[in-house]
């Protein structure tokens, strides 16, 4: 289980890192909004612990941007701002839980466990993004409530994107997952499949679902 801790108070950050590591989590620390953005673009996390007062911006704004770009990692806000309005705002912006400072490490660990349990029961079975609802157990896709037929390959391809919304996925990684090898695949095959998915799911005039990142890969946005 990988946890991203966004906290600028070094002492507290290190204490959290130690506590969570001892509880068996893999921990990445970010001390500012920019570092947190980078960390989340590079890899996925099972949960994020987010402080609000950060040196280069507001954690709430960061959370709002993440949710708008489709990042769906569960987030626990840690903050000295414990006014009810702040809690409401945090939850409205997409936080899953809110822990006012000062807090006990034991309580944070308990809340993390609860969050990860909740996440595990829905995670991996139904993925949703911008009107798409991908049911991994039933192997069905609904788009704006309408069923869409996909071949097995198309389904596998879409699944990777739905598990990593907002993240740039390198071509080699996609090919490795969908065709089990980055090498056997004809260079154009991925593009052919991407244009099939696009023609099924994208509507002219709307913001495209998939973005081509030249020379790198694709992103579900
Ligand atoms: Ca702070």
């Amino acid at each position: 289980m990988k946890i991203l801790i966004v906290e600028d108070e070094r002492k507290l950050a290190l204490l959290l890192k130690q506590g969570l590591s001892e509880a068996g989590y893999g921990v990445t620390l970010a001390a500012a909004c920019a570092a947190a953005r980078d960390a989340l673009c590079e890899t996925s996390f099972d949960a994020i612990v987010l402080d609000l007062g950060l040196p280069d911006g507001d954690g709430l704004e960061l959370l709002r941007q993440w949710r708008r770009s489709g990042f769906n990692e569960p987030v626990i806000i840690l903050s000295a701002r414990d006014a009810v309005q702040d809690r409401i705002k945090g939850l409205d912006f997409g936080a899953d839980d809110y822990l006012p400072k000062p807090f006990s490490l034991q309580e944070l660990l308990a809340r993390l466990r609860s969050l990860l349990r909740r996440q595990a029961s829905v995670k991996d079975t139904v993925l949703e993004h911008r009107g798409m609802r991908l049911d991994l157990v039933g192997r069905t896709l609904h788009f704006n409530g309408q069923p869409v037929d996909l071949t097995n390959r198309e389904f596998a391809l879409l699944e990777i994107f739905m598990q990593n919304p907002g993240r740039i996925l390198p071509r080699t990684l996609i090919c490795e997952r969908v065709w089990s090898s980055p090498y056997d695949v004809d260079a154009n095959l991925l593009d052919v499949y991407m244009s099939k998915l696009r023609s099924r799911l994208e509507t002219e005039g709307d913001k495209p679902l998939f973005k081509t990142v030249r020379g790198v890969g694709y992103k579900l946005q």
Side-chain angles (χ1 to χ4, degrees), residues 7-9 51-54 101:
E7 170 61 70
D8 63 321
E9 286 169 50
D51 176 35
L52 296 188
L54 293 163
K101 287 180 181 174

Side-chain angles (χ1 to χ4, degrees), residues 187-211:
N188 296 319
L189 195 56
L190 175 57
D191 301 314
V192 171
Y193 270 86
M194 286 308 300
S195 67
K196 279 192 202 175
L197 268 191
R198 282 177 157 151
S199 68
R200 293 266 175 93
L201 300 172
E202 288 182 351
T203 317
E204 236 185 295
D206 285 355
K207 182 186 171 194
L209 285 168
F210 299 100
K211 184 177 182 198

Side-chain angles (χ1 to χ4, degrees), residues 37-180:
R37 265 187 223 108
D38 289 350
L40 198 57
C41 283
E42 268 167 30
T43 179
S44 63
F45 292 91
D46 296 294
I48 298 168
V49 176
L50 178 66
D51 176 35
L52 296 188
L54 293 163
D56 59 345
D58 189 337
L60 276 181
E61 201 40 54
L62 189 63
L63 173 63
R64 181 151 72 169
Q65 287 165 11
W66 278 339
R67 293 301 187 235
R68 279 191 180 156
S69 340
F71 287 103
N72 52 11
E73 276 87 349
V75 171
I76 297 185
I77 289 178
L78 288 185
S79 178
R81 301 180 206 165
D82 60 351
V84 173
Q85 282 311 316
D86 279 326
R87 292 195 200 198
I88 293 173
K89 212 168 159 190
L91 296 170
D92 280 347
F93 278 10
D96 298 270
D97 203 351
Y98 200 113
L99 196 55
K101 287 180 181 174
F103 56 90
S104 86
L105 180 64
Q106 291 311 317
E107 183 173 5
L108 175 64
L109 288 172
R111 290 195 186 208
L112 262 180
R113 284 196 298 274
S114 147
L115 201 61
L116 293 167
R117 267 200 308 274
R118 282 210 301 273
Q119 186 75 357
S121 59
V122 284
K123 206 182 167 184
D124 304 329
T125 61
V126 175
L127 305 173
E128 291 184 276
H129 185 78
R130 287 184 59 191
M132 295 184 286
R133 189 171 195 281
L134 195 68
D135 182 336
L136 302 185
V137 176
R139 308 294 290 174
T140 54
L141 170 68
H142 284 79
F143 188 44
N144 296 330
Q146 299 297 314
V148 180
D149 279 332
L150 293 179
T151 65
N152 284 339
R153 277 284 193 240
E154 289 164 353
F155 193 95
L157 184 57
L158 185 59
E159 184 181 340
I160 296 174
F161 283 107
M162 295 284 279
Q163 280 172 337
N164 297 279
R167 200 163 282 138
I168 298 168
L169 300 179
R171 300 178 63 94
T172 48
L173 181 139
I174 301 173
C175 292
E176 214 166 57
R177 298 261 198 97
V178 178
W179 286 276
S180 307

